[in-house]
Amino acid sequence: MLNAKIPAGPLNTKWEDYKGHCKLVNPANKRNLEIIVIGTGLAGASAAASLGELGYKVKAFCFQDSPRRAHSIAAQGGINAAKNYQNDGDSVYRLFYDTVKGGDYRAREANVHRLAEVSGNIIDQCVAQGVPFAREYGGLLSNRSFGGTQVQRTFYAAGQTGQQLLLGAYSALERQVALGNVTMYSRHEMLDIVKIDGKARGIIARNLITGQLERHFGHAVLICSGGYGNVFFLSTNAMGSNVTAAWKATQNGAYFANPCFTQIHPTCIPVSGDHQSKLTLMSESLRNDGRIWVPKKKDDNRKASDIPEEERDYYLERRYPAFGNLVPRDVASRAAKERCDAGYGVGTSKQAVYLDFAAAIERYGSIEANKRQMHGVSKEEIIKLGKEVVAEKYGNLFDMYAKITGENPYETPMRIYPAVHYTMGGLWVDYELQTTVPGLYSLGEANFSDHGANRLGASALMQGLADGYFVLPYTIGNYLADEIRVKAIPTDHPAFAEAESKVRDRIAKLMSIKGTKSVDFFHKKLGKIMWDKCGMARNEQGLKEAIEEIKALRAEFYKDVRIPGDENEFNPELEKAGRVADFLELGELMCIDALNRRESCGGHFREESQTEEGEAKRDDENFSYVAAWEYKGPSDYVLHKEELVFEEVKPTQRSYK
């Protein structure tokens, strides 16, 4: 069994006790210790800034031209924290409970409780950095609701919360760069880990502008490179998002945990054709005020405005009255799929449902009229006032929808459908965020630790910043305190030469194929296999077929992929080829993991395991564990289990009714 190194004692004192007893590194010694950070999104930027502030020598790597381009910028709706500003019953325990339940009891209690504990600190830190959170009339920070909760705990900055939080972390990072504590390597991609005596001691990186390979030493390496949703090709992730850093860690001995736990987001703009390279998210915050419905009549081709109220099925409110439109993402996604599969979908593709703001606009308009002491106003005037309020809260999201679809969401309901969004699986880490390779850590979406089988909305930003600002700076000291006598290892060490040689051989192999098909051809084919057979619903036959199809596709890739250009120059197709090669291995492991987990939980829905009402049916007796896979080679994996123990929150069949 894997040892998660969870501290003893009551759940609500574990983190404080850990911090009081972990080893420390004194300031003079910190100046002699080097740390490599891969990725500069919220997790990486906050970690690099915090470690630089503490006095460590930090090297930060990102494949974008600036940390400001990290995909964290795309997060829209908000960040959770147990501040209880609304006085509506929220607490650290309630946030912990909602997160464990929302993850369908497949997360580690100790990590989730720590996350809830530090959540309030994150808001204070970001406010101090100048993040422009929305505020109430009196000046207090505003909150809104998100799925899977019955309180308002989501802090937000219009529909661009991720961008504003990233700018806060980026400003803290750039301060450390200016002070000389952090060295920034943009347009660099990590292509391998260097291990010496079993410990992570550096990386091999490729300069994406020149094509040159570089060797970099570090006493520890942090993987903060985000999730792997782009294995499906079409997802809400930026096209550059990939699994390569995490996968190279896996190939070097770091176990990969729960790869089949992928999140389908219920509110995305539907696929419009084969021309698309990505999908666009409409923030879950829209479910805060919007109502989701389909026509009660099958194949109803009328305009939404022509369908009277009594002929509309507000199916989430009907099926889940306690939570209504704010059920967790996995529940809302499956419900939308069920309605569309049953013939009630809307739009030309019939693969969409309506997200309607008409009632919210009218409600806000009436409130605004009352605030202005306007009496006897017309319905048109109320709607005008309501649109102004909605524009203030969600305006950039509505503008984005209008630009993409050509439709005015203030006048007609949005059309939405589920799409791949976030990955709960990732590198296995213990309580200290260390992988199974000593000195190799993983933060944010790149690790598996805090969300179980389904992430609640607005928790991704919370986890990324919690790991970087408030967890890793403590836990890494516990490891580095024993490394203070280790001098910087020269990069002409044989282990560096061997790792670089491995990378050169991989690149040469890809460049030598000179086939006839583009990298995107293979990526799209892989994505279709994954979506059809390891997407919103999975079954044994489909997963077995997918495994064989991916193996065949991988063989074809290595025979017939065409990569133009040269390896020693700026070559985006070579970058993509390396990433797709990794996806072709990861995709197979995802299907193996999904086949092994013969239960339904959260974002993993096995058709053979569902209740009479079509809800996910867990098997706690046999599958209450983290599945951590050890890489032995392509198609060769060994399963290691971390048993999940629930002392505070006893697993029950999830109900949002």
Side-chain angles (χ1 to χ4, degrees), residues 282-333:
M282 287 286 102
S283 168
E284 181 175 315
S285 63
L286 295 174
R287 290 200 280 145
N288 189 54
D289 283 314
R291 299 178 72 195
I292 293 172
W293 63 276
V294 292
K296 287 183 178 178
K297 191 172 79 174
K298 284 188 180 182
D299 299 316
D300 194 329
N301 293 316
R302 289 177 291 175
K303 288 182 181 177
S305 57
D306 294 337
I307 301 175
E309 190 72 16
E310 63 272 13
E311 294 181 36
R312 300 179 178 190
D313 177 16
Y314 295 93
Y315 58 89
L316 290 178
E317 297 171 32
R318 169 173 56 82
R319 289 176 60 175
Y320 310 103
F323 283 73
N325 295 295
L326 288 173
V327 292
R329 292 175 175 178
D330 59 319
V331 177
S333 294

Side-chain angles (χ1 to χ4, degrees), residues 503-657:
V503 173
R504 286 194 188 283
D505 290 348
R506 275 201 303 265
I507 291 173
K509 180 180 179 182
L510 288 170
M511 295 300 298
S512 69
I513 297 169
K514 302 191 186 305
T516 62
K517 297 186 176 72
S518 71
V519 175
D520 279 352
F521 169 85
F522 292 98
H523 197 174
K524 286 180 179 179
K525 284 192 80 169
L526 172 64
K528 180 159 176 49
I529 295 168
M530 295 299 297
W531 179 251
D532 289 347
K533 296 178 179 176
C534 195
M536 256 197 286
R538 300 104 186 251
N539 60 57
E540 183 170 351
Q541 181 185 344
L543 290 166
K544 286 179 175 176
E545 291 171 357
I547 290 167
E548 296 307 315
E549 288 171 20
I550 293 169
K551 285 180 183 175
L553 184 64
R554 192 164 67 235
E556 186 186 354
F557 173 86
Y558 281 107
K559 283 180 187 165
D560 203 23
V561 71
R562 178 179 177 273
I563 304 169
D566 187 70
E567 64 190 77
N568 296 313
E569 64 180 8
F570 175 68
N571 191 338
E573 286 301 303
L574 175 58
E575 294 171 39
K576 284 198 292 185
R579 296 166 188 170
V580 171
D582 294 331
F583 278 139
L584 284 163
E585 291 194 12
L586 170 71
E588 182 185 356
L589 178 59
M590 289 169 67
C591 295
I592 291 170
D593 188 42
L595 185 63
N596 171 76
R597 191 169 284 277
R598 296 182 305 279
E599 65 163 354
S600 292
C601 56
H604 167 65
F605 189 74
R606 282 288 294 265
E607 292 173 352
E608 304 93 332
S609 184
Q610 53 184 303
T611 66
E612 292 178 4
E613 296 168 320
E615 304 293 346
K617 185 179 179 182
R618 292 195 324 274
D619 180 356
D620 292 331
E621 189 175 336
N622 295 303
F623 293 98
S624 189
Y625 62 76
V626 177
W629 296 90
E630 180 184 3
Y631 180 92
K632 294 289 191 180
S635 303
D636 186 6
Y637 302 93
V638 175
L639 174 62
H640 301 267
K641 297 178 182 179
E642 178 202 337
E643 294 296 332
L644 292 170
V645 179
F646 295 94
E647 296 173 346
E648 290 290 329
V649 182
K650 298 302 180 187
T652 58
Q653 180 63 41
R654 269 198 312 170
S655 174
Y656 293 94
K657 297 183 177 181

Side-chain angles (χ1 to χ4, degrees), residues 18-49:
Y18 174 89
K19 289 191 294 182
H21 295 91
C22 66
K23 297 173 187 173
L24 299 176
V25 181
N26 83 41
N29 286 330
K30 282 176 182 156
R31 291 193 288 272
N32 298 320
L33 293 170
E34 300 181 39
I35 302 173
I36 289 172
V37 180
I38 307 300
T40 51
L42 285 180
S46 60

Side-chain angles (χ1 to χ4, degrees), residues 379-550:
K379 185 173 181 180
E380 288 73 20
E381 185 65 23
I382 284 175
I383 288 173
K384 181 173 179 291
L385 292 170
K387 286 178 180 176
E388 291 172 4
V389 176
V390 168
E392 187 178 342
K393 292 185 77 170
Y394 306 107
N396 63 311
L397 299 173
F398 277 56
D399 292 345
M400 187 163 45
Y401 182 88
K403 284 179 182 176
I404 291 171
T405 65
E407 298 173 2
N408 183 350
Y410 294 100
E411 303 291 340
T412 186
M414 295 182 184
R415 283 175 291 109
I416 57 167
Y417 193 71
V420 172
H421 178 54
Y422 186 92
T423 51
M424 284 75 64
L427 293 174
W428 184 89
V429 292
D430 59 23
Y431 188 74
E432 297 183 324
L433 304 184
Q434 187 168 218
T435 68
T436 46
V437 175
L440 182 64
Y441 292 77
S442 183
L443 284 67
E445 192 180 355
N447 75 31
F448 88 101
S449 68
D450 290 10
H451 306 298
N454 172 64
R455 177 176 67 77
L456 292 183
S459 286
L461 307 185
M462 176 174 62
Q463 187 213 346
L465 292 179
D467 286 355
Y469 283 139
F470 298 110
V471 177
L472 191 280
Y474 281 98
T475 64
I476 199 168
N478 210 35
Y479 171 77
L480 291 176
D482 295 329
E483 301 295 316
I484 57 176
R485 293 179 183 81
V486 177
K487 303 292 184 197
I489 299 172
T491 54
D492 58 2
H493 187 283
F496 279 92
E498 184 184 344
E500 183 180 328
S501 176
K502 252 189 349 184
V503 173
R504 286 194 188 283
D505 290 348
R506 275 201 303 265
I507 291 173
K509 180 180 179 182
L510 288 170
M511 295 300 298
S512 69
I513 297 169
K514 302 191 186 305
T516 62
K517 297 186 176 72
S518 71
V519 175
D520 279 352
F521 169 85
F522 292 98
H523 197 174
K524 286 180 179 179
K525 284 192 80 169
L526 172 64
K528 180 159 176 49
I529 295 168
M530 295 299 297
W531 179 251
D532 289 347
K533 296 178 179 176
C534 195
M536 256 197 286
R538 300 104 186 251
N539 60 57
E540 183 170 351
Q541 181 185 344
L543 290 166
K544 286 179 175 176
E545 291 171 357
I547 290 167
E548 296 307 315
E549 288 171 20
I550 293 169

Side-chain angles (χ1 to χ4, degrees), residues 32-350:
N32 298 320
L33 293 170
E34 300 181 39
I35 302 173
I36 289 172
V37 180
I38 307 300
T40 51
L42 285 180
S46 60
S50 300
L51 294 169
E53 182 77 36
L54 288 172
Y56 293 106
K57 292 165 67 177
V58 180
K59 295 180 181 178
F61 293 79
C62 70
F63 65 75
Q64 299 96 341
D65 50 10
S66 164
R68 288 176 298 173
R69 300 292 297 269
H71 187 61
S72 300
I73 205 170
Q76 298 167 346
I79 175 170
N80 289 330
K83 286 281 200 183
N84 195 28
Y85 282 173
Q86 317 300 319
N87 198 26
D88 58 0
D90 201 10
S91 64
V92 167
Y93 183 86
R94 182 76 62 177
L95 174 53
F96 155 73
Y97 173 84
D98 286 343
T99 305
V100 172
K101 178 184 175 184
D104 219 352
Y105 305 96
R106 291 293 176 263
R108 190 190 288 154
E109 275 193 342
N111 285 61
V112 178
H113 198 278
R114 176 176 64 188
L115 177 65
E117 286 177 64
V118 304
S119 64
N121 297 343
I122 298 169
I123 305 303
D124 298 339
Q125 171 96 353
C126 294
V127 169
Q129 290 172 342
V131 173
F133 286 119
R135 292 179 181 268
E136 303 289 2
Y137 178 76
L140 289 175
L141 297 184
S142 181
N143 289 127
R144 58 188 175 201
S145 300
F146 256 62
T149 72
Q150 290 179 305
V151 297
Q152 289 180 273
R153 66 162 66 101
T154 304
F155 295 78
Y156 63 98
Q160 50 182 239
T161 313
Q163 179 176 356
Q164 299 302 332
L165 292 172
L166 185 63
L167 288 172
Y170 171 73
S171 65
L173 173 61
E174 286 302 303
R175 179 172 178 271
Q176 296 305 316
V177 171
L179 291 172
N181 298 327
V182 176
T183 305
M184 190 69 226
Y185 293 86
S186 58
R187 302 298 289 150
H188 279 67
E189 183 167 29
M190 187 206 94
L191 294 181
D192 216 340
I193 301 279
V194 178
K195 282 167 52 179
I196 298 175
D197 297 328
K199 296 179 178 180
R201 291 301 192 196
I203 64 165
I204 305 298
R206 182 171 181 266
N207 182 321
L208 298 180
I209 302 298
T210 66
Q212 288 182 318
L213 296 182
E214 300 176 4
R215 306 175 184 183
H216 294 275
F217 164 78
H219 288 88
V221 177
L222 277 53
I223 306 293
C224 313
S225 52
Y228 50 90
N230 272 356
V231 70
F232 291 88
F233 187 72
L234 281 180
S235 81
T236 66
N237 291 275
M239 282 304 293
S241 298
N242 64 85
V243 77
T244 290
W247 197 247
K248 297 313 175 197
T250 302
Q251 291 175 330
N252 278 282
Y255 297 174
F256 205 100
N258 297 338
C260 77
F261 287 167
T262 52
Q263 179 163 84
I264 314 295
H265 197 294
T267 50
C268 301
I269 297 177
V271 176
S272 59
D274 292 338
H275 63 283
Q276 279 180 277
S277 59
K278 76 177 296 293
L279 297 174
T280 303
L281 173 70
M282 287 286 102
S283 168
E284 181 175 315
S285 63
L286 295 174
R287 290 200 280 145
N288 189 54
D289 283 314
R291 299 178 72 195
I292 293 172
W293 63 276
V294 292
K296 287 183 178 178
K297 191 172 79 174
K298 284 188 180 182
D299 299 316
D300 194 329
N301 293 316
R302 289 177 291 175
K303 288 182 181 177
S305 57
D306 294 337
I307 301 175
E309 190 72 16
E310 63 272 13
E311 294 181 36
R312 300 179 178 190
D313 177 16
Y314 295 93
Y315 58 89
L316 290 178
E317 297 171 32
R318 169 173 56 82
R319 289 176 60 175
Y320 310 103
F323 283 73
N325 295 295
L326 288 173
V327 292
R329 292 175 175 178
D330 59 319
V331 177
S333 294
R334 282 196 297 274
K337 180 179 188 295
E338 184 274 328
R339 287 291 81 192
C340 291
D341 290 351
Y344 297 95
V346 301
T348 52
S349 68
K350 299 299 181 185

